[in-house]
C-alpha cells in the first residue's frame, strides 16, 4: 500500500481512535431529491464540521459544497440507474479516477450487488476501481448494496462483505444485522455500517452502539442523521458513541441537549420518513 493511499485512508478512519463517522449524502444518485436532501448544501454544510468524511457524488460536491470545506471527501463513483428501475444492480463506473484527483478526494465509493442480476458486472467494477485507485493512491469503499429480494442477514452480508474485501476494497460498508460479529469477523478490512431507513433516534443510536461493539469501525450514516429533527444533535450523539465510547443513554442525552439548545421541542415526533428501496 503506497504512502499516499495510507495517508488518504487515515483521513477517512481517524488515527486517534481507529474509527470514523462518515456522513452519507449520496442518495440522490438514484433516488433524486430524497427527503431531507432537497437542498444538499443547506443540509450538509452545517453538518460538515462534525463528519469525518462526506460521501456524495461529484455533482453535489461541485455545485453545493463550499470548496473550503475541511471534511475529507469520499466520492461515489458508481451509478447509472434510478429508483424507477426494478433492478437497481445495473451500475457502471460513472466518474473517472482523474476527476477524483481533480476533486481532491480521499476515497472512492462503489456499490456491489451480490446476488442481484448484475452481480458480476458490479463486482468486476469494484476490481477495476481498486486497480485504478491503487495506481493513484486512492482507497476504495465498497458498498454492499442489498437488492430488494435479498435478506439482510449475517450469512448474506458476510458473503457480500468478504467478496468486496477479496476484490481489494480498503473499507467495506454494509448493514448492521443480528450476529454482526460474523460479518466483521470474516472481513479482513475495516467495516462500517450504513444507517438504513430512518429510525427513532434512540434506536439508531442503539444500532450504532451495537455495531461498534460487534466490530464495526464506524458508520457511514445518512437518513438517521439528516432526516432527524436535530441533525446536529444526532451526528454529535453518533460521534459520542463512535469516538467517545459513550453509552446509548449518554449519547441520547447529547442528542436531546442539542435539540433543546436549538429550540426544537424535545417531545417531538420520530421524523419517520419514506424509505423506498434502500
Ligand atoms: C446507498 C448508499 C447510501 O449512502 C447508504 O444507504 C447510507 O445511507 P443511509 O444511512 O441513509 O442508509 O450508499 O447505496
Amino acid at each position: 500500500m503506497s504512502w499516499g493511499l495510507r495517508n488518504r485512508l487515515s483521513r477517512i478512519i481517524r488515527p486517534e481512535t481507529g474509527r470514523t463517522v462518515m456522513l452519507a449524502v449520496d442518495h440522490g444518485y438514484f433516488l433524486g431529491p430524497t427527503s431531507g436532501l432537497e437542498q444538499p448544501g443547506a443540509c450538509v454544510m452545517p453538518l460538515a464540521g462534525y463528519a469525518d468524511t462526506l460521501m456524495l457524488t461529484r455533482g453535489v460536491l461541485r455545485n453545493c459544497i463550499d470548496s473550503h470545506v475541511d471534511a475529507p471527501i469520499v466520492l461515489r463513483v458508481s451509478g447509472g440507474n434510478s429508483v424507477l428501475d426494478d433492478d437497481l444492480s445495473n451500475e457502471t463506473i460513472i466518474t473517472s479516477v482523474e476527476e477524483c484527483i481533480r476533486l481532491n478526494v480521499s476515497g472512492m465509493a462503489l456499490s456491489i450487488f451480490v446476488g442481484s442480476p448484475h452481480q458480476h458486472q458490479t463486482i468486476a467494477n469494484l476490481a477495476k476501481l481498486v486497480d485504478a485507485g491503487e495506481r493513484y493512491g486512492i482507497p476504495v469503499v465498497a458498498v454492499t448494496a442489498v437488492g430488494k429480494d435479498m435478506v439482510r442477514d449475517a450469512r448474506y452480508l458476510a458473503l457480500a462483505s468478504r467478496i468486496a474485501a477479496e476484490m481489494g476494497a480498503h473499507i467495506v460498508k454494509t448493514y448492521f444485522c443480528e450476529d454482526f460479529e460474523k460479518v466483521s469477523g470474516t472481513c479482513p478490512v475495516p467495516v462500517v455500517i450504513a444507517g438504513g431507513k430512518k429510525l427513532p433516534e434512540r434506536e439508531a443510536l442503539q444500532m450504532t452502539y451495537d455495531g461498534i461493539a460487534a466490530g464495526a469501525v464506524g458508520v457511514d450514516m445518512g437518513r438517521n442523521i439528516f432526516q432527524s429533527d436535530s441533525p446536529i444533535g444526532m451526528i454529535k450523539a453518533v460521534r459520542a458513541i463512535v469516538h467517545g465510547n459513550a453509552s446509548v443513554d449518554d449519547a441520547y442525552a447529547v442528542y436531546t441537549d442539542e435539540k433543546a439548545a436549538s429550540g426544537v421541542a424535545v417531545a417531538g415526533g420520530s421524523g419517520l420518513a419514506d424509505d423506498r428501496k434502500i
Side-chain angles (χ1 to χ4, degrees):
M1 200 183 282
S2 71
W3 190 92
L5 199 146
R6 282 185 282 119
N7 179 258
R8 284 189 172 95
L9 261 182
S10 75
R11 289 173 55 71
I12 302 173
I13 299 175
R14 301 302 313 162
E16 301 87 346
T17 58
R19 293 191 181 154
T20 184
V21 175
M22 303 172 66
L23 178 65
V25 286
D26 60 327
H27 304 59
Y29 92 96
F30 74 101
L31 285 173
T34 309
S35 174
L37 274 181
E38 295 88 345
Q39 305 296 328
C43 167
V44 174
M45 287 311 296
L47 297 171
Y50 303 101
D52 293 319
T53 76
L54 303 177
M55 178 189 176
L56 70 190
T57 59
R58 67 168 154 185
V60 165
L61 181 63
R62 290 197 307 216
N63 295 300
C64 311
I65 306 298
D66 293 344
S67 55
H68 57 70
V69 75
D70 272 339
I73 302 301
V74 172
L75 202 73
R76 168 168 282 283
V77 301
S78 75
N81 216 328
S82 89
V83 70
L84 300 180
D85 194 329
D86 276 342
D87 173 20
L88 292 175
S89 70
N90 193 6
E91 286 199 352
T92 189
I93 294 176
I94 53 169
T95 308
S96 70
V97 70
E98 289 80 8
E99 172 80 328
C100 291
I101 293 165
R102 269 193 297 277
L103 293 169
N104 195 29
V105 310
S106 296
M108 303 183 286
L110 169 145
S111 292
I112 61 168
F113 293 78
V114 174
S116 294
H118 294 84
Q119 70 164 0
H120 166 75
Q121 174 183 314
T122 61
I123 294 170
N125 287 344
L126 172 60
K128 281 187 209 136
L129 188 69
V130 170
D131 279 341
E134 298 271 356
R135 203 173 302 131
Y136 294 103
I138 306 179
V140 172
V141 179
V143 179
T144 59
V146 179
K148 65 178 171 22
D149 299 325
M150 308 305 296
V151 184
R152 291 180 188 181
D153 63 13
R155 189 163 170 236
Y156 169 72
L157 295 174
L159 171 78
S161 299
R162 179 59 176 265
I163 289 172
E166 299 260 356
M167 293 304 108
H170 304 93
I171 298 173
V172 170
K173 169 179 174 176
T174 191
Y175 291 89
F176 181 68
C177 63
E178 206 174 311
D179 296 328
F180 190 76
E181 293 86 353
K182 289 184 184 155
V183 181
S184 61
T186 57
C187 183
V189 299
V191 176
V192 295
I193 56 169
K197 68 178 181 180
K198 175 73 176 70
L199 300 166
E201 279 72 10
R202 183 182 279 277
E203 285 178 34
L205 295 173
Q206 184 70 55
M207 181 179 65
T208 302
Y209 183 92
D210 292 344
I212 297 292
V217 303
V219 299
D220 186 12
M221 189 176 275
R223 289 164 288 177
N224 277 294
I225 293 174
F226 66 73
Q227 290 178 349
S228 170
D229 53 11
S230 175
I232 291 180
M234 263 312 269
I235 197 166
K236 282 184 168 180
V238 169
R239 288 192 76 79
I241 293 171
V242 171
H243 288 301
N245 293 313
S247 66
V248 174
D249 282 348
D250 287 350
Y252 190 71
V254 170
Y255 155 73
T256 53
D257 287 354
E258 177 68 35
K259 187 161 116 169
S262 63
V264 183
V266 173
S270 69
L272 294 175
D274 174 23
D275 175 41
R276 294 201 273 182
K277 288 199 177 182
I278 55 170

